[in-house]
Amino acid sequence: MHIMLYEKLGPAYLNLPTWLNEGLASAAELYPNPDYLILLKSGLEKDELIPISTLCGTFPREAASIYLGYAEAASFTRFIQLQYGSIMLDQIVKQYANGLDCSRGVEVALGRH
């Protein structure tokens, strides 16, 4: 997925927030990581979920937080795909590729600006 995104976007690939880049990659995996659901449930129960805005840049450095970041990125990306469709995901990618910052890309693509 990373290579396909780079081929599609060229240097604008670097504008994608990490949560979207890794979320799309996770969504494309043939065998989703079964631990992600466990991590999300635990993070929710413990009120330790990482704000998506924090996952715009690099993921946390601690092992447990890294995996939670991937789980959240995958979950949020799948939510967008299921709720709004793949075309909307493509619109979101385009917004970021065009230079919108992390907080604005989803809002603008969804028409909530």
Side-chain angles (χ1 to χ4, degrees):
M1 178 57 74
H2 297 296
I3 293 169
M4 288 175 48
L5 283 168
Y6 185 80
E7 286 181 359
K8 178 178 179 171
L9 302 175
Y13 170 83
L14 298 175
N15 294 343
L16 295 180
T18 302
W19 70 262
L20 180 59
N21 197 340
E22 297 303 337
L24 289 169
S26 292
E29 292 176 343
L30 292 177
Y31 304 103
N33 188 329
D35 293 334
Y36 285 175
L37 187 56
I38 296 166
L39 290 167
L40 289 170
K41 185 177 179 182
S42 175
L44 183 61
E45 289 170 354
K46 296 177 181 178
D47 196 28
E48 294 177 349
L49 292 177
I50 304 166
I52 289 294
S53 60
T54 303
L55 301 175
C56 291
T58 59
F59 277 16
R61 295 181 187 253
E62 307 82 36
S65 295
I66 289 171
Y67 289 116
L68 181 57
Y70 278 99
E72 288 186 36
S75 177
F76 188 48
T77 303
R78 281 193 190 98
F79 169 79
I80 293 169
Q81 184 176 27
L82 291 172
Q83 190 72 27
Y84 302 101
S86 296
I87 293 172
M88 183 56 67
L89 275 176
D90 188 54
Q91 291 299 316
I92 291 169
V93 167
K94 287 178 183 175
Q95 294 300 325
Y96 289 122
N98 288 332
L100 283 182
D101 68 15
C102 188
S103 64
R104 300 281 298 141
V106 173
E107 291 173 353
V108 171
L110 292 175
R112 297 184 180 160
H113 45 98

